[in-house]
Amino acid sequence: MARVTIREQIEPIIRRHAFSDYRWLDPASILVAEWVRIKCQFGCPHFGKAAACPPNTPGVETCRRYFSEYQHALIFHFQVAEAETSARHAWSARTNQALVTLERDVFLAGCPKAFALFTDACHLCDECAAERSDCKQPALARPSATGLAVDVFG
């Protein structure tokens, strides 16, 4: 009997969640860089103000080791047409919630290391706690790729 591949196992779940624009990556190709964290620290309004954003995320070297523990990764492409900040935040909250739901279903399908990264700052709550220990939804909050020092431009 042929063994089901991880792609054959997960892709129907992805389709069921109506995500269609994605591709598989070799996690070894994910670039984790110190400059991303510095850019986050000195260019993002969420730094130090959001429970799932730096400095409430692991250090760069820990992030690098984290990705090295995976054999498969997915990247999703989203087009956002929202120009107004509040509309973008609402879109982000809906999309991030959908990613957490997808993560849960992939986990329940037998992939215990399933972990979604958010598109942006969490935005699940109207007001975000600055400290992880004060987060109102700690089981749902996730960092973004850049919050884990991933070079999304490289």
Side-chain angles (χ1 to χ4, degrees):
M1 180 186 260
R3 186 172 175 203
V4 176
T5 68
I6 196 80
R7 289 181 186 205
E8 292 169 333
Q9 181 180 3
I10 293 175
E11 287 183 349
I13 300 168
I14 294 168
R15 285 192 298 275
R16 192 168 60 242
H17 284 270
F19 290 116
S20 59
D21 196 357
Y22 66 91
R23 73 180 177 110
W24 290 90
L25 294 176
D26 175 354
S29 71
I30 296 173
L31 302 174
V32 177
E34 197 71 47
W35 75 264
V36 178
R37 182 58 52 86
I38 300 298
K39 186 97 168 159
C40 187
Q41 184 174 357
F42 294 101
C44 180
H46 301 292
F47 184 88
K49 297 179 181 172
C53 290
N56 297 309
T57 56
V60 174
E61 194 52 43
T62 301
C63 293
R64 193 172 284 117
R65 284 192 314 269
Y66 168 75
F67 289 109
S68 76
E69 295 178 3
Y70 283 80
Q71 290 81 41
H72 307 280
L74 282 165
I75 186 167
F76 293 88
H77 178 256
F78 300 103
Q79 290 192 354
V80 185
E82 307 295 345
E84 185 183 315
T85 301
S86 62
R88 268 195 329 274
H89 287 183
W91 175 88
S92 217
R94 287 189 309 274
T95 303
N96 291 342
Q97 181 61 56
L99 288 168
V100 168
T101 303
L102 173 63
E103 173 196 306
R104 181 180 184 278
D105 287 353
V106 170
F107 171 83
L108 292 173
C111 300
K113 293 195 304 187
F115 190 77
L117 298 179
F118 282 173
T119 59
D120 188 6
C122 182
H123 298 299
L124 293 179
C125 300
D126 290 332
E127 234 176 271
C128 189
E131 297 294 326
R132 184 83 180 136
S133 59
D134 297 328
C135 181
K136 295 172 191 144
Q137 299 206 46
L140 302 178
R142 301 287 184 274
S144 66
T146 54
L148 290 185
V150 173
D151 176 359
V152 296
F153 302 103

